[in-house]
Amino acid sequence: KYGLHVIVLDGKRGLDWERFDGAVEWHSATIETIGSQIDQLYAIFLRRWDQMRAAQVNKIYDLPKRPRTLFVVFEEFGQLWQKIKQDKELYARMADRIDELFRLGRAAGIVICLMDQAPEDWSRQMRANAKFVICYKLGAGAGNVFSEYYAGKLPDKAVYSQSNVFYNAWHFDAELD
């Protein structure tokens, strides 16, 4: 609807997102594939950065012919991130790239959305550059990483918190009973 190119890297091997293939660009993300997937995303970032530098602009949106904005969803990011951390060489390469994508990606038209149950494992750079955080029920203290102190008190479904304000998920209202 908004002209975004949506890419989903699904750490649940398709359980959540495969059914949307065709509406979004969907890929299963495993420890075997995630390094290459992040490398490819980073290569797109570098190409766009070179375009911006050549045109002497500081945002991709200022280019006369700008590429589509990429909206990249990492499903179950924490599970993959924990596995990446176990491989020191892979982690060293991926940590720098992910941090740079979080810090500079939006200027290059790359928006990253992490769907995760373990945000406490994210780097400081990732947490600092997470501009919009929505929390569903999390385990004790997990929401504290983003100052979502009451996320542990949320019901199991149909309610989320953003800046410690609780909201009903609109599409569940009729089904709550």
Side-chain angles (χ1 to χ4, degrees):
K1 179 176 180 178
Y2 299 102
L4 302 174
H5 180 156
V6 180
I7 300 170
V8 177
L9 301 176
D10 188 350
K12 282 179 130 176
R13 297 179 184 244
L15 286 178
D16 288 338
W17 290 90
E18 185 173 23
R19 63 184 158 194
F20 298 107
D21 193 21
V24 301
E25 182 181 336
W26 168 86
H27 303 276
S28 180
T30 65
I31 190 60
E32 294 80 25
T33 64
I34 193 68
S36 173
Q37 291 164 333
I38 291 173
D39 285 344
Q40 290 175 48
L41 183 59
Y42 190 72
I44 292 169
F45 164 77
L46 291 177
R47 281 194 306 273
R48 289 179 173 202
W49 205 261
D50 288 344
Q51 286 178 300
M52 291 170 11
R53 182 174 289 127
Q56 298 181 340
V57 299
N58 61 2
K59 298 184 301 284
I60 201 87
Y61 308 104
D62 294 334
L63 289 174
K65 185 174 178 178
R66 71 176 175 102
R68 287 173 64 191
T69 298
L70 297 181
F71 186 82
V72 183
V73 177
F74 285 89
E75 171 72 62
E76 292 296 338
F77 180 80
Q79 178 186 14
L80 286 170
W81 199 242
Q82 288 173 358
K83 290 179 181 178
I84 288 170
K85 282 183 168 183
Q86 294 171 6
D87 181 331
K88 291 181 190 224
E89 182 182 320
L90 179 61
Y91 176 71
R93 191 175 87 236
M94 293 299 105
D96 289 343
R97 290 181 177 196
I98 286 288
D99 280 351
E100 191 165 8
L101 286 167
F102 259 84
R103 191 169 54 84
L104 301 172
R106 283 187 309 277
I110 300 172
V111 178
I112 297 179
C113 172
L114 299 183
M115 298 178 76
D116 195 3
Q117 296 171 24
E120 62 274 11
D121 290 333
W122 298 3
S123 72
R124 186 175 311 133
Q125 191 70 253
M126 293 161 66
R127 289 191 308 266
N129 284 287
K131 298 301 182 194
F132 188 76
V133 175
I134 296 174
C135 290
Y136 287 92
K137 186 171 186 172
L138 292 171
N144 295 354
V145 170
F146 294 107
S147 302
E148 291 287 345
Y149 302 112
Y150 306 106
K153 298 184 184 299
L154 289 164
D156 289 335
K157 56 185 165 188
V159 178
Y160 64 91
S161 172
Q162 202 282 318
S163 297
N164 290 302
V165 176
F166 289 11
Y167 298 92
N168 288 323
W170 64 270
H171 58 282
F172 284 107
D173 285 346
E175 299 177 24
L176 280 176
D177 292 335

